């Protein structure tokens, strides 16, 4: 009889289970685990995010499935999980950035922004009448002297990574990063490693046309998404590299 | 004993199931899947929406079952699912369009409008005391340089398609589009393909008198619904085409 | 064990069932199906509504069971379902009509009014803390150039009919209309057909004294209820007609 | 196992059952059916209400169990069901009457007042956080040209009767009225019939000292309650009549 | 399995059971039936209330268990049930009395006050988010020409008695009153009868030191509580009386 | 199967059980019964409160476990039960005291303060959306002519005692008081008796270092807590006394 | 069948269990018990907090897992449990500190701040619509004449310790402290003892790079976190000490 778990998850507020976990938050994480795979990788000269959009029909307009967003000039984000929830969070992040410009006349710090988003998410795990957000974000950006790569999750927890992944392919991706990531990579190498990770997580079902890449260089401090041709060229390069000796070692 | 599922769906808020899905949203999608079939197809010179209204009694006034609506001069929409919910969303879309005209003195972008409607829908999936909308919309329109075709669903997710369908006949319709849709079609060909798809999804129970067609040409940027005679003529043409060699190949 | 259905219907909000239906709305429709039978029929020169009030005791004052109401000079309505709910909706309709007169200095359109009532009803199906209205309305009226006949239901759905029925006798009534309704009928013929339908739906338990008839002519644009004697005369005529060759064929 | 019905009735809002009934309303009616018996009877020259107060202990002050109330000069009411709820409704009715006097400088119409009370009651059946009123009222009064007798129930439904009863003895009372009520009775005869009905409903356990009688004559338009001696005299008359040939035939 | 009753009583609002009772109200009455015994008795020249405070430990300060309260100069009350609830009601009654003095510059009528308290109690039985008061009050006082004795219960019902009791000993007390109460008693006799009733209800476990007596004479219109010595003297007198021929017959 | 009690206690509001008890209040009392033992004893010249703080680890700072609090110059309190709830009540009491000083320019009466705290507690037992306080207080103080000792419990009930105890050791403590308490004790004797009671309730696990004593003399009207050395000296004295002939008999 | 506990913990408010415990609070404590181990130790010249951050992947940026926070110049805190909840509490504490500076122009007392945080936490255990905080804090700081070390828990309870630990390793840590803590330690010795405790609680899985140490000296009254190299040096020292004769005895 499966009654108990059925009754356990559909209540009006996120509460603790006897072992101290917040069920609704864990189920929201499950929504992320069902999402598209997104990765972020820091390099010495910048930071990149890459997403495999998993488009299943030729009738879709690929650009309408946007998974990488510009938040501010110097900040971008990749999302995984419920797409409507992601849009709410991206909008919130953009507004927070603009408020900072208006109030302090300077661009918002990447970590400050990431914390604001996480505080916003936390609220949805403690008060009644709402559910948590079913979305994780990778937030990347450039501060004065270094680039940042944050991962936020439905609980409002915030972690900074050198390289990380969210979504369905997370564990496959992390395995590759643990093995091949080097802190002295430059942005081009990081993108190749990110593509390799997405490629392996997708077990071959992977096309340049459904891949999004966003990058920000420490020098320029301008987040931008790569053009379709650029993406295609990098994918070719990555595939060639895997065929030879592996990306990380080149 | 069937107690658990019964208890699982009738709570005061949309919450996550253990596998990360939002049950009320999925059930709302089911309401759409029980609705009338509507299709949208982009052409090089415009975009069309078509609906098969499934009128079952000669005593009904067919025009009272309105499934295609003008939102603004340059935007229209087709709906499927709960009709009263659809009316609320169409009203909302019309108001958003007029607000844009008043505030910015220009017509609203098609994508901006579609996002506003989806943000509105998302709210009904995250806060307590409401249920999600049981309606999907196909939103079509013409921006400065191209036509757009968006599909919204009860979760607030937004996708752009080249050709798509919602409602009871969705899978039948998509099969035909996958096979026969070509990006170089013009509006007339797109309408014929749309009619063929509705015709096949209805398995023959299909009449011109209960079919609605809305179209907007990129050149004119004026959304309009075809007159009854025009619809009838196109249906004849479609039927003739199927009898011959098929619409898509002509 | 019948626990599950018992638990399924008594919650604080109208929510979706797994197959995409709104249970509270469907149960409210059931309240209508238990109500008195009301019919509406369009004619070339007007539109009529008729109700069989089913009075069971000689101690009741028949006129206190009012089922046909004047909304505005040019609009009337017949109701079926919970009588207290009906009174709320009729009051609302009257207020909406007067607001329109005050704001625009003209009488409200019949369809506009019907939509307002339906939008009002829809609200009671989407927000928590209320139940849907257990009442359907037939709204009839005369616009500039034609008469209208709308049926609203507890979901807030709105349909226009040539001829239709609500309440306990709906299916019996519709059967007769499907067979005998002709669009070229005049008001007198429409009333006879309506009486016949009520008569057959009631399986003979039918009296002129408990029948209400409301009618509006396109020319006059004044909704009025027939006097008791008029009703009695029409009932006699109807009974005679049935005895002979049937109403619709005369 | 009796779990399902137990769970079915104790929820926070009045909702529909699958067969379209409002359970809380029906249970509130049950509270009325457990109440004291009250009857109302129209006569050609007035209208009367009578209540059998069922006083069980000689230690009670009979006049503190008030079941017949003056609402306004020309309106009175008898109640059955929860006494505290009845007091709330009577207070409301009195306030509505005075508001009418203040706003329009004229006495309120009996039907207008009855509808106001019923609209008030209906609210308690559709919104959350309240329960319906467990009280029915017989509202009697005199308008310009005729007397009125309304019965309200917990749903907010309103009916006018020639003669009717509420409370525990309702069915016994109605049986007698169906048999013996004549529209050409005068007030005195109506009171005798009402007493007979109460007497039979009480199966003999009936005393003048615990009977209340209120009456309003069309001519005077002043509602008043009979003095104890008057009541006693009428009861004697009634008992004598029954012993002889029955009240209705005299 | 005892699940159903357990689930039946602990909901957020007082609702009707299928047989028309309000469970929370009946359970609140049960709280009164567990309370201390209080009696009230009208006499020709005044009215008295008496309470047996049931003090179980010599360590308690008897006067801190106050069960008889002065509401206004001319009104007093005895309580039974939840003591904290009683305090809230007594405070409310005192405020209502003072408001009356301020607004009308005269003392409040005893019945008016009793009704205000009962209306206040009724509110707690019809609206969500509160529970009924678990307290009954005997309200005594002197109006211009007579003394009054009201009993209020958790439902907000109000009854006037010649002699009555509340709390654990109610049925024992009422039996004695039914047998021995005479309307021509004077205050002293009434107090003796009340003491006898408390004495018999307590089955001998009864002491003067834990008995409170409040009395108001029609002539003085001043409610006062008897001094401890007075109480002791009366108790002695009562005990002597019982030993002889009984109080009521003296 | 233990389902019913599990479901019975975890609802959103404090409601009555069928036998007239408030479950949440009784469970809150249970929280007090799990708390530290506190006693209060009146003497002819003052009143004392004593607490055994039950410190289990040498790593704790004993003074951080504060169980006796000064409320105002002339009032103190000892608490048992949930410590965070106690802090809220103590803060409230201090604010009430200061408000009294500000508004009336005089110190608050001890009983007035105790009633204010109890009224505050009662609110948490009657309204939804809160739980009762899981804390009892012994409130002691000196009025103009005598000292007072009140016990408040989670229901908001208020009792005055000559000597009393709360918390885990209550019944052991009361047994000793019933046996040995004498009203003619002075403060020193009262403290010795209190220590003896705590000592016996703790069954020997008792240390001067974890004992708090608060005292107020009628003459000084200043509540103060004894210094650690004073406490130690009294404990020695008590232990010596028990070894001899017992405290109460000296 | 495990239904009962499942149903027991997921309600909208923190309520009492029959044995007087607050389930949601206990489950929140469980969340703390699953958290990282943090310890605090008072010394004669200051107080230190230490955390073992348990970083599991080389891809994380260790400094992004912040477990020790500066609250004000003279106050710091270590957290364990839900990280997003901890951030909320730390933000609150910082704001409270600044308010104190603004309002009183002086730094907040350590105990005052700790009580404010605990009062804030208590609120989340008594009111509906929220859940308790799943976080414990060790709050350390320097007042005028001494250092303080407070532990707060999800109930809002507040205790001061000489040495204590929270999180997964609590019991292992406390065992070591009970054995080895001496009040005459200086800060350096306290840090070594804290490191030993964390080392033993982690059963060897312990690295300097994932250890945070915060310290405040009584003399300086400035809370600061040790640099990475300092931490590494202390860890070496601790490991050497354990190898020899043990930290506490040196």
């Amino acid at each position: 009889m499966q009654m108990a778990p059925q009754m356990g998850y559909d209540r009006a507020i996120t509460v603790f289970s006897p072992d101290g976990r917040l069920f609704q938050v864990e189920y929201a994480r499950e929504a992320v685990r069902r999402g598209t795979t997104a990765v972020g990788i820091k390099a010495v000269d910048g930071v990149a995010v890459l997403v495999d959009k998993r488009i299943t029909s030729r009738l879709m307009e690929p650009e309408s499935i946007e998974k990488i967003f510009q938040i501010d000039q110097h900040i971008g984000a990749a999302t995984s999980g419920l797409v409507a929830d992601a849009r709410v969070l991206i909008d919130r992040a953009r507004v927070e950035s603009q408020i900072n410009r208006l109030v302090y006349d300077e661009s918002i710090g990447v970590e400050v922004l990431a914390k604001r988003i996480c505080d916003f998410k936390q609220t949805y795990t403690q008060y009644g009448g709402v559910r948590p957000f079913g979305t994780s974000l990778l937030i990347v950006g450039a501060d004065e002297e270094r680039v940042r790569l944050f991962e936020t999750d439905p609980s409002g927890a915030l972690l900074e990574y050198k390289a990380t992944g969210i979504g369905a392919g997370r564990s496959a991706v992390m395995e590759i990063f643990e093995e091949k990531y080097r802190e002295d990579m430059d942005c081009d190498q990081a993108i190749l490693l990110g593509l390799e990770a997405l490629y392996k997580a997708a077990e071959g079902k992977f096309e340049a046309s459904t891949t999004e890449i966003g990058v920000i260089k420490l020098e320029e401090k301008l987040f931008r998404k790569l053009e379709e041709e650029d993406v295609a060229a990098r994918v070719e390069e990555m595939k060639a590299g895997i065929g030879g000796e592996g990306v990380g070692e080149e």
Side-chain angles (χ1 to χ4, degrees), chain A:
Chain A
M1 173 168 156
Q2 303 216 327
M3 183 175 169
Q6 289 278 5
M7 300 189 69
Y9 60 78
D10 60 346
R11 299 299 161 132
I13 186 174
T14 302
V15 287
F16 287 102
S17 71
D19 56 347
R21 295 184 304 155
L22 294 168
F23 269 179
Q24 276 297 304
V25 169
E26 308 237 337
Y27 298 164
R29 282 180 184 140
E30 206 60 47
V32 175
R33 270 192 282 273
R34 299 162 58 101
T36 52
T37 310
V39 300
I41 308 155
K42 271 190 195 170
V44 286
D45 57 341
V47 57
V49 281
L50 303 91
V51 182
D52 170 9
K53 298 199 291 189
R54 286 198 305 190
I55 286 171
T56 52
S57 159
R58 70 172 186 98
L59 297 170
M60 283 186 197
E61 298 280 10
E63 67 268 30
S64 79
I65 310 179
E66 202 181 7
K67 297 285 181 184
I68 292 182
F69 302 84
Q70 179 137 17
I71 305 295
D72 198 344
Q73 278 193 339
H74 64 306
I75 305 181
T79 68
S80 185
L82 302 186
V83 296
D85 285 23
R87 220 172 40 232
V88 171
L89 290 174
I90 294 297
D91 283 355
R92 178 91 187 191
R94 284 169 174 164
V95 169
E96 290 284 354
S97 293
Q98 293 312 307
I99 287 172
N100 203 83
R101 282 188 189 281
L102 284 169
V103 174
Y104 301 108
D105 198 21
E106 60 184 32
S107 58
I108 197 168
V110 183
E111 186 166 4
V112 170
L113 178 79
K115 280 191 177 162
R116 294 252 169 91
I117 293 307
C118 282
D119 286 345
F120 183 62
K121 281 181 163 186
Q122 192 273 347
T123 309
Y124 285 76
T125 74
Q126 190 163 23
Y127 295 88
V130 293
R131 61 164 175 81
F133 283 92
T135 305
S136 283
L137 270 73
L138 298 179
I139 298 175
V140 296
D143 285 337
E144 206 52 48
E145 290 179 19
R146 57 174 174 154
V147 292
R148 312 297 298 266
L149 163 58
F150 291 102
E151 180 185 327
T152 77
D153 94 333
S155 76
L158 181 68
L159 280 176
E160 187 165 13
Y161 280 90
K162 295 181 173 76
T164 189
I166 54 178
R170 167 169 240 231
S171 58
V173 158
M174 291 308 273
E175 213 170 286
I176 291 163
F177 287 166
E178 290 278 356
E179 182 194 337
K180 296 197 174 173
Y181 177 77
R182 291 194 331 263
E183 293 195 29
D184 61 353
M185 282 174 163
D186 63 16
C187 263
D188 288 341
Q189 291 170 319
I191 288 170
L192 287 178
L193 177 60
L195 285 172
E196 183 186 344
L198 291 180
Y199 178 78
K200 290 193 172 159
E203 294 174 354
K205 287 178 211 147
F206 181 83
E207 279 176 73
S209 65
T210 64
T211 304
E212 273 186 283
I213 302 178
V215 72
I216 179 165
K217 294 277 177 70
L218 183 55
E219 208 172 315
E220 305 163 3
K221 302 196 197 310
L222 283 174
F223 182 82
R224 66 191 172 79
K225 291 169 72 171
L226 297 198
E227 297 300 316
E228 216 170 299
E229 312 89 82
D230 288 355
V231 173
R234 300 299 174 94
V235 169
E236 282 318 298
E237 199 179 341
M238 176 272 289
K239 286 184 177 168
I242 294 178
E245 67 210 82
V247 173
E249 279 74 16
E250 74 193 351

